[in-house]
Amino acid sequence: MRSRRSVLAVPGSNPRFLEKAQTLPVDEVFLDLEDSVAPLAKEEARGNIVAALREGDWSGKTRVVRVNDLTTQWTYRDVIEIVEGAGAYLDCLMLPKVQDPTEVVWLDTLLTQIEKTMGYEVGRIGIEAQIENARGLVNADAIAGSSERLETLVFGPADFMASINMRTLVVGEQPPGYVEGDAYHYILMRLLMAARMHDLQVIDGPYLQIKDVEGFRRVAQRAAALGFDGKWVLHPSQVDAANEVFSPSQEDYDHAELILEAYEYYTTVEKRGAVMLGDEMIDEASRKMALVVAAKGRAAGLGRTKRFTP
């Protein structure tokens, strides 16, 4: 799986932002043709994005383009022009406001046709499905299993909050009057279960109060604690917080690697299935949990500071 701790949104209509995004230490950049681009600027934005993908330096970043949703007149031209113009430089397309699995199937089919026409490897370009309303959440299981290309489910909080009439104007914060628990817990867990059922990643949406970095960190920690893989960032000030929150600590990473080393040694050399690592008993379940933390640490570029000695 790709590392997606920080997912930067960049308007395709702003060449300066497209250039700046290449310099930021984010895991993924999605170049946007949807909400951040005015209707009259969408055609020009396609050209900007193709040029940025072909000519820019996106080293170390997953390159994604968010097309318009299928209720609009722009979507099919978005896909055709972006993939024909820069498909070799593209990792995924993000489809917003997905409500039904047939929408992902439509995008999969169109991508296959373009790949065959252009001579690209069929199936290489992935799909990210953004869930932004009640119907999409109810259909999350079917959406998550709708295509072999699907890599992530993405929560779109602003449109979702509007779709269920949530009584707040602050995206990501608790609605006034909701004094116990977390109003977003069910939504996040529902997406998490659908994603994991099909071995997908799951990404939390944006926090719009871009000057409130501590607020961003607090909301990101909620998603990370549940098991989310990353979160959108809208401003450079949010990048470091996202990368930190969605990376394991050095202590946890070292511990995970020690568990993997110790379990490998004891099960293969001494042929035991449950053993002690210091004061901790480890077994097959421990190995599975350690694999998750170790994978996230490796993706984040962490290095080992401890080694296992039998």
Side-chain angles (χ1 to χ4, degrees):
M1 288 186 178
R2 311 177 198 271
S3 181
R4 287 182 164 97
R5 297 168 302 167
S6 49
V7 178
L8 178 66
V10 186
S13 55
N14 192 315
R16 183 171 64 87
F17 286 2
L18 291 170
E19 184 174 354
K20 174 68 175 177
Q22 299 170 44
T23 69
L24 297 176
V26 294
D27 289 341
E28 175 177 308
V29 172
F30 78 85
L31 312 181
D32 193 24
L33 287 169
E34 201 216 7
D35 285 350
S36 68
V37 179
L40 294 179
K42 290 186 186 293
E43 186 172 342
E44 181 181 2
R46 291 177 191 144
N48 293 341
I49 289 174
V50 168
L53 287 171
R54 293 181 65 92
E55 300 166 11
D57 181 3
W58 303 97
S59 302
K61 298 175 177 59
T62 297
R63 303 154 297 178
V64 179
V65 174
R66 181 169 73 164
V67 299
N68 286 277
D69 78 88
L70 275 176
T71 66
T72 73
Q73 69 269 36
W74 300 298
T75 317
Y76 81 103
R77 292 301 315 166
D78 290 344
V79 177
I80 292 170
E81 292 188 24
I82 295 300
V83 179
E84 287 190 351
Y89 307 88
L90 182 67
D91 296 308
C92 297
L93 287 180
M94 184 187 303
L95 187 63
K97 299 178 176 63
V98 176
Q99 303 182 73
D100 186 273
T102 59
E103 298 175 25
V104 178
V105 173
W106 173 89
L107 180 55
D108 188 333
T109 302
L110 182 54
L111 280 171
T112 298
Q113 293 174 338
I114 299 171
E115 287 168 337
K116 288 179 177 179
T117 300
M118 299 296 295
Y120 299 149
E121 177 187 347
V122 174
R124 186 191 63 81
I125 298 173
I127 295 175
E128 300 189 358
Q130 193 173 8
I131 308 300
E132 301 187 70
N133 61 24
R135 185 180 175 194
L137 186 67
V138 170
N139 289 330
D141 291 343
I143 291 168
S146 60
S147 170
E148 292 285 332
R149 294 181 187 266
L150 206 58
E151 296 188 13
T152 71
L153 295 183
V154 182
F155 178 42
D159 281 285
F160 192 95
M161 292 157 66
S163 82
I164 63 172
N165 297 336
M166 187 177 282
R167 295 174 59 184
T168 180
L169 292 173
V170 183
V171 175
E173 291 290 359
Q174 302 302 312
Y178 201 92
V179 295
E180 295 184 7
D182 180 358
Y184 302 93
H185 183 76
Y186 168 76
I187 301 166
L188 296 177
M189 285 299 293
R190 187 72 186 80
L191 290 174
L192 183 65
M193 294 302 104
R196 295 301 189 242
M197 183 171 72
H198 295 280
D199 295 324
L200 306 180
Q201 291 181 308
V202 58
I203 307 299
D204 194 16
Y207 185 78
L208 271 59
Q209 312 300 310
I210 60 174
K211 294 184 178 180
D212 184 3
V213 178
E214 287 310 306
F216 173 89
R217 183 184 299 273
R218 171 172 42 79
V219 173
Q221 286 172 335
R222 173 187 66 190
L226 291 176
F228 272 57
D229 298 289
K231 186 172 178 62
W232 280 13
V233 293
L234 302 179
H235 189 270
S237 65
Q238 298 176 333
V239 173
D240 288 344
N243 287 339
E244 177 188 336
V245 167
F246 289 96
S247 297
S249 67
Q250 184 66 52
E251 181 180 359
D252 286 345
Y253 172 63
D254 280 329
H255 188 197
E257 294 285 16
L258 285 175
I259 289 174
L260 294 177
E261 279 189 340
Y263 190 74
E264 173 70 14
Y265 171 80
Y266 286 121
T267 55
T268 58
V269 177
E270 299 193 5
K271 299 181 180 179
R272 290 189 284 161
V275 296
M276 297 298 294
L277 177 63
D279 296 330
E280 175 187 13
M281 189 190 82
I282 61 172
D283 57 12
E284 175 62 14
S286 306
R287 185 190 71 85
K288 291 176 181 176
M289 292 190 295
L291 278 173
V292 174
V293 176
K296 288 181 180 291
R298 294 166 190 169
L302 294 181
R304 299 282 302 276
T305 64
K306 298 178 181 178
R307 296 286 173 178
F308 170 69
T309 301

